[in-house]
Amino acid sequence: MFEARLVQGALLKKVLESIKDLLNEATWECAATGISLQAMDSSHVSLVALNLRSDGFDKYRCDRNVSLGMNLTNMAKIMKCASNDDVITIKAQDDADTVTFVFETPNQEKISDYEMKLMNLDTEHLGIPDTDYSCIVKMPSVEFQRICRDLSQIGDSVVISCTKEGVKFSAAGDLGTGNVKLAQNANVDKEEEAVVIEMQEPVSLTFACRYLNSFTKATPLAPQVQLSMSSDVPLVVEYKLEDMGYVRYYLAPKIED
Amino acid sequence: MVGQGKISEFFIRA
């Protein structure tokens, strides 16, 4: 028996919104430690890895590991039936071919349940090596979203250049060029407004705007985003979920043929 | 020419 109850149900809705652009279907791996998911987008350019720790749920029971393969478009349809202040419970029997979502209003006067068919997905699990990144940038997630949106008007790819002074995002296209520079700024009133750079050596890497824009669908999940970069390895874009886990995106760099 | 790398070229099958 698997059962996970989240009073802050809106969080689950936001997590789903953050991945459904990239993934049509995915397997939610449920274990005693929590729920995790790892999947590549259909073109195998990016990878989503997320983790929701069991202690972040208000009630969590997982007698034995279960893999819940879901069509995320269908899951999103069901999640749209939950209000933002609803309490959400996910339930599945061991070896079940369906999952049940229960939505309760805070006053418990309305309780809805939706049963969805599960899928048997042939998922390829990738081992992600531990990497010492040359540059780690922490910045407001809204700012990152804005920069990705703005520069995708200019070109198809963004060059992210990082030095210890700051980080520069650049795009070039038929109409011309655009550059956005952010200076390191840790001395701000609010922690979430800080731009902090940890640099071992400067990097300059090129990434596709389309994927970066998809990653920014996670913006409502966290006030800050962390970009980890090294030459010739995938970029990591991480949104930390307070007291709960993370949503991470890995994006393969553009490479010289 | 600049091409798009695939994530599976960087991460190995577990």
Side-chain angles (χ1 to χ4, degrees):
Chain A
M1 172 81 187
F2 169 74
E3 187 173 342
R5 176 184 162 91
L6 194 59
V7 171
Q8 207 191 335
L11 183 76
L12 202 64
K13 286 167 69 98
K14 289 178 194 166
V15 166
L16 186 61
E17 286 302 310
S18 75
I19 62 172
K20 77 174 176 60
D21 249 31
L22 288 162
L23 309 174
N24 296 322
E25 49 206 31
T27 300
W28 301 80
E29 302 288 353
C30 308
T33 48
I35 303 174
S36 61
L37 177 154
Q38 193 209 75
M40 283 186 280
D41 72 279
S42 58
S43 50
H44 291 198
V45 169
S46 68
L47 178 116
V48 179
L50 72 82
N51 185 36
L52 308 172
R53 286 196 317 270
S54 55
D55 60 15
F57 289 87
D58 301 283
K59 183 181 169 194
Y60 193 92
R61 176 182 166 188
C62 184
D63 300 335
R64 53 178 271 209
N65 292 1
V66 284
S67 299
L68 306 177
M70 296 190 206
N71 176 312
L72 297 182
T73 309
N74 292 344
M75 185 183 173
K77 283 181 187 169
I78 290 177
M79 281 295 156
K80 281 218 163 69
C81 304
S83 300
N84 278 332
D85 57 355
D86 277 357
V87 178
I88 297 182
T89 303
I90 311 168
K91 288 184 198 177
Q93 299 293 332
D94 294 344
D95 298 324
D97 54 6
T98 60
V99 59
T100 302
F101 297 97
V102 182
F103 307 142
E104 298 164 64
T105 53
N107 62 11
Q108 306 254 310
E109 282 175 5
K110 178 181 167 191
I111 299 177
S112 326
D113 69 89
Y114 294 87
E115 193 177 81
M116 189 176 85
K117 289 176 193 149
L118 292 171
M119 308 169 76
N120 258 328
L121 297 173
D122 189 15
T123 41
E124 184 180 36
H125 201 84
L126 295 178
I128 301 165
D130 283 335
T131 307
D132 289 324
Y133 289 96
S134 302
C135 290
I136 296 176
V137 178
K138 290 174 191 157
M139 61 185 284
S141 59
V142 172
E143 191 65 78
F144 181 62
Q145 182 181 41
R146 177 70 199 253
I147 291 169
C148 292
R149 193 189 72 193
D150 290 352
L151 291 182
S152 61
Q153 306 286 328
I154 309 298
D156 295 335
S157 34
V158 171
V159 180
I160 307 179
S161 310
C162 185
T163 65
K164 63 175 180 292
E165 283 77 38
V167 57
K168 184 172 81 168
F169 300 85
S170 310
D174 294 341
L175 68 83
T177 62
N179 293 291
V180 181
K181 291 178 207 162
L182 290 181
Q184 175 153 218
N185 179 13
N187 301 319
V188 286
D189 294 341
K190 292 182 191 160
E191 210 176 302
E192 60 254 35
E193 289 172 4
V195 176
V196 178
I197 296 167
E198 293 165 31
M199 192 203 77
Q200 309 302 322
E201 54 184 322
V203 293
S204 184
L205 294 163
T206 307
F207 299 103
C209 283
R210 186 162 80 83
Y211 291 94
L212 295 176
N213 275 320
S214 290
F215 302 167
T216 62
K217 293 285 192 295
T219 304
L221 285 170
Q224 283 252 317
V225 62
Q226 177 172 305
L227 314 177
S228 304
M229 293 169 283
S230 279
S231 290
D232 305 320
V233 302
L235 162 77
V236 191
V237 179
E238 176 172 354
Y239 295 84
K240 286 194 169 72
L241 313 177
E242 201 180 353
D243 301 326
M244 187 89 189
Y246 57 79
V247 177
R248 282 182 199 145
Y249 304 94
Y250 296 84
L251 177 59
K254 291 209 168 188
I255 43 177
E256 294 287 337
D257 282 345
Chain B
M1 269 296 286
V2 175
Q4 174 62 60
K6 302 267 186 197
I7 204 81
S8 42
E9 292 164 12
F10 295 92
F11 298 154
I12 19 156
R13 262 179 216 139

